[in-house]
Amino acid sequence: MGVFVNYACLFRLLLWANALTFITAVNIASDATELSGDRALNRPSSFISVPHAFQPDSFRQFLTLGLSDAFPEDMEGTENCLELLSIFGQRYVTLANCLVSYARPVKVCQNCYTDYNNFENIYKNISSDQSGPGNVSCQDSLLWSDRLMLLPSLYSGLRDIWESAACTNCLTAYQMNLSNETLNFLAKLNQSLICFDKYQQGNHSELCKKCKTAYKQLDELYSKMEGNKTLCIDIEDAMNMTRQLWSKNCSSPRKEMVPVIAVSSFMLFLPIIFYLSNYLHSEQKKRKLIHPKRAKSSHSLMNIQDKFS
């Protein structure tokens, strides 16, 4: 591996040396046609300017030309790897733009699964062990040939985002379409939001009355999907926003809050019950202690009276 890296570094140095030589030759030719006399003598010899025609496209052509001169037998495979690299960059940008566009409200799983599949496929082609044209594999040259390993880092970054969003839970096999359960949830969500918008400007009590059934069905479906572990970030975010909207307009306590209120009330009255029972117990104990004393005093009094009689 170390020898391979050394050869790669040496190859890069030779490539940049050829590039500088090419630029210098172009400058000398342009200077010979544009400068003459004292202007040519006064111009610093160390000044190098890039011609206007030397743009990234021409540099790529020059890069391909340099690779062709250095390794003519691998030219066909090199062109294939450069083409895969270009496609990877395009699909990376497309997927990143999609994720940003649908970040708020979160709808990345619904709208970006096609772009993610394309991005996944091009990376699989690059990382494949199978040799392409010219019997050349692009895996080593594009993925593992340098310390930075830029392509694997870019790929893992977007893959981690996709897996954290759990988008596969809302999609069919191979991430080709939205699942039927997800489509059903989105339909019920749309019904609830339409109802909210219809009664938003009027009396909120009317909203709570008219939209209660639609919201209840949506909440029950969400709980079912949560138990089946078929939730993705799109559904979680949509349900969270819907619950906030419902709580804002309808202040009635939810059913699951009733047990919490009952337990809290019981805990609140526990000290009162404790002190009351303690007080009653102490009073009863006092009565038991006093009664034998009275009985003993009466018995002693009877004995004294018998003696004097």
Side-chain angles (χ1 to χ4, degrees):
M1 183 65 182
V3 176
F4 177 76
V5 173
N6 291 334
Y7 277 118
C9 296
L10 180 61
F11 168 71
R12 290 179 183 175
L13 292 175
L14 292 175
L15 183 60
W16 284 108
N18 290 333
L20 292 176
T21 304
F22 174 76
I23 296 173
T24 305
V26 174
N27 286 328
I28 293 174
S30 61
D31 290 344
T33 56
E34 295 179 0
L35 301 179
S36 61
D38 295 338
R39 292 178 59 195
L41 294 175
N42 294 332
R43 183 159 184 166
S45 59
S46 61
F47 180 82
I48 298 176
S49 62
V50 179
H52 177 71
F54 193 73
Q55 298 297 334
D57 293 338
S58 61
F59 178 75
R60 181 177 178 179
Q61 295 176 0
F62 171 73
L63 175 63
T64 306
L65 180 62
L67 292 174
S68 178
D69 294 338
F71 307 103
E73 67 280 2
D74 296 336
M75 184 57 199
E76 186 178 1
T78 302
E79 288 182 348
N80 178 63
C81 294
L82 290 177
E83 185 67 23
L84 291 177
L85 180 62
S86 177
I87 296 173
F88 177 88
Q90 294 172 5
R91 294 184 179 181
Y92 179 90
V93 172
T94 302
L95 177 58
N97 287 334
C98 184
L99 295 176
V100 173
S101 300
Y102 295 101
R104 198 75 252 160
V106 183
K107 296 182 179 180
V108 294
C109 300
Q110 306 172 50
N111 299 284
C112 301
Y113 63 88
T114 300
D115 295 332
Y116 182 80
N117 288 338
N118 295 333
F119 176 71
E120 183 85 14
N121 290 335
I122 188 60
Y123 186 81
K124 287 181 179 178
N125 291 337
I126 294 175
S127 59
S128 176
D129 294 333
Q130 297 180 357
S131 300
N135 198 25
V136 175
S137 175
C138 300
Q139 183 183 41
D140 294 333
S141 60
L142 295 181
L143 301 182
W144 320 117
S145 61
D146 56 85
R147 179 180 60 82
L148 185 59
M149 294 187 295
L150 184 60
L151 265 65
S153 299
L154 294 174
Y155 169 74
S156 62
L158 293 186
R159 182 196 60 191
D160 292 342
I161 293 175
W162 191 258
E163 292 179 352
S164 298
C167 289
T168 54
N169 293 340
C170 292
L171 301 173
T172 58
Y174 305 105
Q175 302 184 146
M176 299 303 297
N177 290 294
L178 294 175
S179 63
N180 292 332
E181 198 168 11
T182 301
L183 293 174
N184 186 25
F185 177 86
L186 294 176
K188 291 187 180 298
L189 174 67
N190 191 41
Q191 293 177 0
S192 298
L193 294 179
I194 290 175
C195 186
F196 289 169
D197 292 337
K198 183 178 180 180
Y199 298 100
Q200 185 73 30
Q201 303 301 328
N203 190 357
H204 286 180
S205 61
E206 191 73 10
L207 184 150
C208 300
K209 181 179 179 181
K210 298 292 185 181
C211 303
K212 182 178 181 180
T213 301
Y215 176 78
K216 182 179 180 181
Q217 292 177 354
L218 180 68
D219 190 67
E220 290 176 353
L221 179 58
Y222 180 85
S223 300
K224 180 181 177 181
M225 296 178 67
E226 187 176 17
N228 297 335
K229 296 183 179 180
T230 55
L231 295 179
C232 62
I233 188 62
D234 293 18
I235 295 179
E236 293 175 2
D237 184 73
M239 193 64 204
N240 185 43
M241 295 179 63
T242 307
R243 283 175 173 173
Q244 290 179 5
L245 186 61
W246 177 263
S247 300
K248 180 180 179 181
N249 296 302
C250 304
S251 58
S252 58
R254 297 172 59 185
K255 290 184 178 180
E256 53 265 31
M257 292 298 295
V258 175
V260 177
I261 296 175
V263 173
S264 301
S265 301
F266 176 75
M267 296 296 294
L268 181 64
F269 283 100
L270 271 180
I272 300 175
I273 297 173
F274 172 77
Y275 286 113
L276 182 61
S277 61
N278 190 28
Y279 173 77
L280 294 176
H281 181 72
S282 61
E283 288 293 326
Q284 186 178 5
K285 192 173 182 180
K286 285 181 179 180
R287 291 172 184 170
K288 289 182 179 180
L289 292 174
I290 293 173
H291 181 71
K293 290 182 179 180
R294 290 179 178 176
K296 184 177 181 180
S297 300
S298 301
H299 184 66
S300 300
L301 182 61
M302 291 176 63
N303 292 334
I304 295 173
Q305 289 178 355
D306 291 339
K307 289 180 180 181
F308 284 102
S309 61

